[in-house]
Amino acid sequence: MTQYHFIGIKGSGMSALAQILSDMQYDVQGSDVEKVFFTQKPLEQKGIPLLPFQKENIQKGQTIIASAAYNEENEEIRAASEKNIPVFQYPTFLGEFINQFTSIAVTGSHGKTSTTGLLAHVLRKAKATSYLIGDGTGKGEKDSEYFVFEACEYRRHFLHYKPDYAIMTNIDFDHPDYFKGINDVFDAFQEMAMQVKKAIIACGDDEHLQKINGQVPVVYYGLNEEHDFCGKNIHADENGTHFDVFVRTSYYGSFTIPGYGNHNVLNALAVIAICHYEQVDMEIIKERLSTFKGVKRRFSEKQLGNQILIDDYAHHPTEIFATIDAAKQKYSNREVVAIFQPHTFTRTETFLDEFAESLKTADRVYLCDIFSSAREHSGDLTINDLVEKVPGAELIQEETIEKLLQHQDSVLLFMGAGDVQKFQVAYENAVATKSKINK
């Protein structure tokens, strides 16, 4: 049996794909740096060998899959070249792999991870479904009918895929280190739309997606009545968010989701639309929507004393606004405190004013130093440029994290795509230390 070797196996997509192949009883191993990432835990649980980078890992007869983060500078990629062993880039391999199934790509500037997780959760109850989620979660079923996967627009990676269906959640300007502007982003999505084989499920509330054309039907969902799938009568309580769905103006059913905020209703509508298209029983859809526990780092909650701590991947102004709004809906009687770590100097500089506007919707704001890779240059920008634009905002560090103790009975939102979790860990440790001292 062919052995699959993953170069850079701890990447979120790579980790998920390795788990899928392992579940399907293939021989899988991988290599990466020594630093510990949250994506490696499920690999270890499945007994997938994790090796340090070394040319000895490369052997004849392997199928080698490499993360897009690595090139000829990596010793394993060089070794494969010397031995004339082909190396498949992750998007290239995945593009071939999905052809075995009825494939559903979930793409969009925001919400794709949550929507992929939700769709997989629902479809699995109806038929054998394998799935790959951008939070590093992957599950393979040997005789899968469906393959649900997150398709990322960054560097136009999703153009490697020709799925049966595509869910498109929205189009927004992000990744300013690659895309030139919103028109460039739209062009990428339009090119991807032309590769879809059966149908495109698009959010009609998004002005850019209204202009999408495909060689297949474009089915729209949203909160406006003119859409094919419309969510109405939305209301929230302590049990979640409740809404009615109308299919082409005819009442279809009433649904409840555990999440809060219109963005979560829209994600659910996308899933309902694809399931309706594939004739999944409505009772299955209802039950599974109501039991979805979410995906990693998307509004992940825990109670700490009388505070609520929420960890979220939000790193774009649109996502920050949605996350703060969801917290305010769920905890309407509590102060919402935002602790935000900007991700990359490029993104921070491009969206400086938009970040400020989104953060102003929180009751209090603390800002952490900008997270960046060693290869990125800061120019003259510092975190103080953002601090100055948000009234009352304060700079916070791991050493000064105890400031958050003053916000009793509050919701603490730790947001960012870098290593903002370390600030939450530091805070939890500070609370534990204070508790011991008081005893």
Side-chain angles (χ1 to χ4, degrees):
M1 182 191 287
T2 298
Q3 181 184 66
Y4 289 91
H5 178 73
F6 285 74
I7 300 175
I9 194 168
K10 294 180 187 179
S12 56
M14 293 281 282
S15 170
L17 182 57
Q19 293 169 56
I20 289 165
L21 291 172
S22 175
D23 289 342
M24 292 179 169
Q25 308 302 310
Y26 290 107
D27 182 11
V28 178
Q29 67 172 35
S31 54
D32 214 314
V33 295
E34 285 186 22
K35 184 180 175 183
V36 176
F37 292 90
F38 73 90
T39 52
Q40 73 188 69
K41 189 175 180 183
L43 296 169
E44 291 165 348
Q45 288 171 339
K46 290 181 188 291
I48 296 171
L50 302 180
L51 312 167
F53 287 133
Q54 52 190 7
K55 62 180 188 294
E56 290 77 16
N57 294 336
I58 305 303
Q59 302 294 333
K60 288 275 190 187
Q62 290 175 329
T63 296
I64 299 173
I65 304 162
S67 160
Y70 296 101
N71 54 29
E72 287 289 336
E73 292 176 14
N74 178 276
E75 62 181 301
E76 293 190 4
I77 291 180
R78 286 201 306 275
S81 179
E82 288 162 9
K83 294 181 179 181
N84 292 319
I85 304 171
V87 175
F88 298 93
Q89 288 288 312
Y90 164 80
T92 308
F93 180 87
L94 186 58
E96 292 291 321
F97 183 72
I98 64 172
N99 291 332
Q100 308 168 54
F101 316 96
T102 295
S103 56
I104 306 169
V106 181
T107 190
S109 299
H110 318 294
K112 50 185 174 284
T113 298
S114 298
T115 306
T116 307
L118 181 59
L119 178 59
H121 180 71
V122 175
L123 273 183
R124 284 173 67 205
K125 185 76 173 179
K127 289 185 179 170
T129 301
S130 296
Y131 57 91
L132 185 156
I133 308 174
D135 66 353
T137 306
K139 183 79 177 75
E141 298 285 351
K142 203 163 176 66
D143 299 312
S144 291
E145 180 168 336
Y146 293 108
F147 188 84
V148 174
F149 70 107
E150 184 170 334
C152 185
E153 78 279 13
Y154 186 50
R155 297 193 179 277
R156 289 174 161 77
H157 286 156
F158 59 7
L159 297 186
H160 289 275
Y161 315 135
K162 294 178 180 174
D164 293 296
Y165 296 101
I167 289 175
M168 294 188 171
T169 58
N170 43 56
I171 295 177
D172 202 351
F173 179 38
D174 196 8
H175 306 296
D177 59 322
Y178 174 75
F179 288 112
K180 301 180 186 72
I182 188 64
N183 292 336
D184 192 22
V185 180
F186 176 83
D187 289 345
F189 276 87
Q190 178 55 62
E191 196 173 343
M192 200 276 186
M194 297 305 285
Q195 299 182 172
V196 179
K197 297 175 187 170
K198 287 187 179 177
I200 296 164
I201 312 296
C203 181
D205 292 355
D206 184 279
E207 60 176 327
H208 303 293
L209 283 173
Q210 287 175 5
K211 301 177 219 158
I212 280 287
N213 293 306
Q215 301 185 70
V216 294
V218 179
V219 177
Y220 283 111
Y221 65 90
L223 306 184
N224 295 328
E225 289 191 5
E226 69 266 19
H227 301 320
D228 302 293
F229 289 79
C230 171
K232 285 184 181 178
N233 307 323
I234 300 167
H235 62 283
D237 58 25
E238 67 277 7
N239 298 315
T241 304
H242 316 278
F243 57 97
D244 298 330
V245 174
F246 289 77
V247 179
R248 297 175 189 95
T249 71
S250 296
Y251 174 74
Y252 175 59
S254 298
F255 299 84
T256 296
I257 54 172
Y260 295 81
N262 284 350
H263 62 293
N264 278 313
V265 175
L266 290 171
N267 294 347
L269 284 170
V271 170
I272 291 166
I274 200 96
C275 290
H276 185 274
Y277 217 91
E278 280 291 298
Q279 300 180 323
V280 174
D281 183 87
M282 187 174 66
E283 290 308 312
I284 290 177
I285 303 171
K286 273 189 181 182
E287 185 269 322
R288 298 298 275 185
L289 285 180
S290 69
T291 57
F292 182 55
K293 300 238 180 343
V295 292
K296 293 173 195 161
R297 299 219 58 225
R298 303 306 189 276
F299 214 81
S300 304
E301 299 181 60
K302 71 187 299 184
Q303 183 102 22
L304 187 69
N306 54 2
Q307 293 175 314
I308 307 291
L309 275 53
I310 298 175
D311 174 37
D312 197 276
Y313 188 67
H315 59 286
H316 182 281
T318 303
E319 297 165 352
I320 290 166
F321 180 84
T323 303
I324 294 172
D325 180 56
K328 287 192 159 189
Q329 283 198 37
K330 184 167 186 181
Y331 299 104
S332 56
N333 58 342
R334 290 183 185 244
E335 176 190 45
V336 174
V337 180
I339 302 100
F340 174 56
Q341 180 195 52
H343 186 253
T344 77
F345 289 104
T346 313
R347 185 182 275 116
T348 309
E349 186 171 33
T350 304
F351 301 118
L352 195 65
D353 290 335
E354 291 87 347
F355 276 129
E357 289 306 309
S358 292
L359 288 164
K360 284 176 189 174
T361 61
D363 297 311
R364 282 294 301 275
V365 176
Y366 293 91
L367 294 165
C368 314
D369 271 327
I370 298 166
F371 180 90
S372 184
S373 67
R375 292 173 291 188
E376 195 189 26
H377 300 294
S378 64
D380 297 327
L381 182 78
T382 72
I383 189 61
N384 289 320
D385 292 296
L386 184 54
V387 171
E388 289 168 11
K389 286 183 175 286
V390 183
E394 290 183 54
L395 188 60
I396 200 166
Q397 296 165 323
E398 287 175 272
E399 298 74 29
T400 59
I401 202 75
E402 284 190 7
K403 287 180 184 179
L404 301 178
L405 286 166
Q406 65 186 298
H407 299 287
Q408 291 304 309
D409 300 311
S410 299
V411 176
L412 304 183
L413 273 178
F414 292 85
M415 297 181 288
D419 57 3
V420 71
Q421 299 105 312
K422 72 183 183 184
F423 293 93
Q424 181 172 333
V425 169
Y427 180 62
E428 290 177 24
N429 291 339
V431 171
T433 301
K434 189 166 188 274
S435 177
K436 280 181 189 172
I437 291 168
N438 290 343
K439 282 180 182 174

